[in-house]
Amino acid sequence: MKLLRYGPKGQEKPGILDGDGIIRDLSAVIDDFTPTTVIPENLDRLSRLNLQQLPAVSGKPRLGTPVTGMQKFIAVGLNYTDHASELNMELPGEPVLFTKHLNCLNGPDDNIELPEGSVKSDWEVELGFIIGTRAKNISESDSLSHIAGYTIVNDVSERAFQLEHGGQWMKGKSCDTFGPVGPWMVTTDEIGDPQQLQLFTEVNGQLVQNGTTANMIFPVSFLVAYISRFMTLEPGDIVCTGTPAGVGVGRKPQMFLKPGDHMRLGISGLGEQNQRVVAA
Ligand code: ZN
C-alpha cells in the first residue's frame, strides 16, 4: 500500500494511492496517519479495503508528510561507502546518529526555504523508514518486523551551519523545511529487500546522486536494532538512513543550492519528490 496525507498544510486528510495512481480518500476509514494508527492491526485492516469503493480525490492536491505527530526524526550520518569516500572520511565503526528536529518536517513537494545567512545548503536523498511497533533492545533478526513502511527523505543540510559553527551537526540539519518526507509511506510488503533500492537526485535536471542502498555500511535491519539500544523507537518515528555519493559539498567544484533551483529525488518503488528552492 501507498499511504499518504493530502491537503493544505495542517489540514491534511489520510489517503491511499490506488493501482491507477488515483488518490482515494480514507477519511471515513481512519482519522489520520499518526503514532496511534500506523500499527499493524490498522495496516491489516486497510489492506483488505476495496479501493474502488472509496471516494476518488480529484486534481493534484498538495501532499503532506505521510505520517504526523511522531515523537522522533532520527538521521544516520556517513552510512554509504561512496559518500564517506567523497568526503575523505573514514568509515565509521558504529553508526553516526543525529537529530533532525520536528520543525524541519515538510511535504515532499513543498518549497525548501534557504535560512537567513545560508551559503552552503545541500541535498541528500535518503531511504527513510517509519516504525510500526515499539522497538527497545530488539535483535537484528527481529528488526524489520518493527517497520511499518518506507519513504523518501531529503536530508537537506546547511554545511556551514553543520560543520563551521562548533558542536553537533544538528544546527545544519533542522532548519525549517529541511525535512521533506514522502510522497507516500510504502508498506514493507511492497518493497522486499531494502538493500536493493536505487536512489537519485537531480538538481536543475542534472543527475547529481545515483546510488544504491546496497552500498550502505549499516543496513536497515542493523540500524533498527542498534538505535533501539539507545532509545525506544515508537510507532510513527522516522529514521533516515544516510545518503550515497554526489552531495554538493563532495563535488569538485562544490555546488550549493540557490533560490530558483529545482530538486527532483527518487527511490525505486517509493516515488519522487520535487522541490523548489526559495529564499526564506
Ligand atoms: Zn543525511
Side-chain angles (χ1 to χ4, degrees):
M1 291 182 290
K2 296 181 172 71
L3 305 174
L4 56 92
R5 298 172 60 255
Y6 71 94
K9 201 165 197 167
Q11 301 169 45
E12 292 92 344
K13 295 177 175 179
I16 183 168
L17 201 71
D18 73 14
D20 297 321
I22 296 167
I23 297 175
R24 301 281 176 166
D25 178 42
L26 284 176
S27 301
V29 182
I30 195 165
D31 287 341
D32 201 351
F33 291 116
T34 68
T36 52
T37 63
V38 295
I39 57 176
E41 298 90 298
N42 271 326
L43 300 185
D44 285 352
R45 188 165 62 94
L46 296 178
S47 71
R48 289 193 293 272
L49 293 172
N50 180 348
L51 301 188
Q52 307 308 315
Q53 292 173 347
L54 295 167
V57 176
S58 60
K60 284 250 169 209
R62 171 191 172 271
L63 298 180
T65 59
V67 180
T68 190
M70 69 290 289
Q71 191 185 75
K72 295 187 280 301
F73 188 1
I74 297 165
V76 181
L78 296 174
N79 195 30
Y80 280 75
T81 50
D82 52 347
H83 177 56
S85 96
E86 77 177 337
L87 299 179
N88 293 316
M89 309 211 19
E90 277 184 42
L91 300 189
E94 292 194 35
V96 174
L97 302 183
F98 61 91
T99 300
K100 284 181 81 71
H101 282 281
L102 298 175
N103 62 292
C104 78
L105 285 168
N106 215 27
D109 302 329
D110 290 345
N111 287 344
I112 302 294
E113 296 176 4
L114 297 180
E116 214 172 292
S118 167
V119 287
K120 294 184 179 178
S121 287
D122 202 348
W123 52 87
E124 295 191 350
V125 64
E126 306 200 3
L127 173 65
F129 61 81
I130 297 167
I131 294 293
T133 56
R134 177 175 291 175
K136 180 180 173 74
N137 289 318
I138 58 164
S139 69
E140 194 174 342
S141 60
D142 187 34
S143 64
L144 292 183
S145 70
H146 288 263
I147 295 177
Y150 296 100
T151 191
I152 304 171
V153 174
N154 186 357
D155 177 18
V156 184
S157 306
E158 216 296 342
R159 302 300 181 190
F161 294 6
Q162 177 189 351
L163 301 168
E164 299 168 18
H165 289 267
Q168 299 174 317
W169 291 0
M170 194 201 295
K171 294 172 192 170
K173 298 284 193 173
S174 296
C175 307
D176 291 344
T177 76
F178 272 26
V181 179
W184 320 304
M185 180 181 86
V186 181
T187 48
T188 53
D189 55 298
E190 287 195 17
I191 293 304
D193 182 358
Q195 308 309 138
Q196 296 294 332
L197 305 177
Q198 299 297 124
L199 321 79
F200 75 86
T201 304
E202 287 177 6
V203 177
N204 301 326
Q206 178 189 351
L207 185 67
V208 290
Q209 291 191 282
N210 186 20
T212 165
T213 57
N215 286 339
M216 278 191 196
I217 299 166
F218 303 105
V220 172
S221 57
F222 181 87
L223 291 172
V224 182
Y226 180 83
I227 298 168
S228 85
R229 288 164 47 190
F230 302 98
M231 64 200 86
T232 304
L233 290 168
E234 298 285 355
D237 285 352
I238 299 183
V239 178
C240 55
T241 57
T243 199
V247 297
V249 73
R251 301 178 70 83
K252 293 181 183 64
Q254 293 184 333
M255 177 177 158
F256 297 111
L257 296 169
K258 54 189 187 309
D261 283 350
H262 174 254
M263 285 187 280
R264 176 170 169 257
L265 306 86
I267 301 181
S268 26
L270 300 180
E272 282 186 17
Q273 299 185 345
N274 282 275
Q275 293 130 16
R276 180 69 59 186
V277 179
V278 300

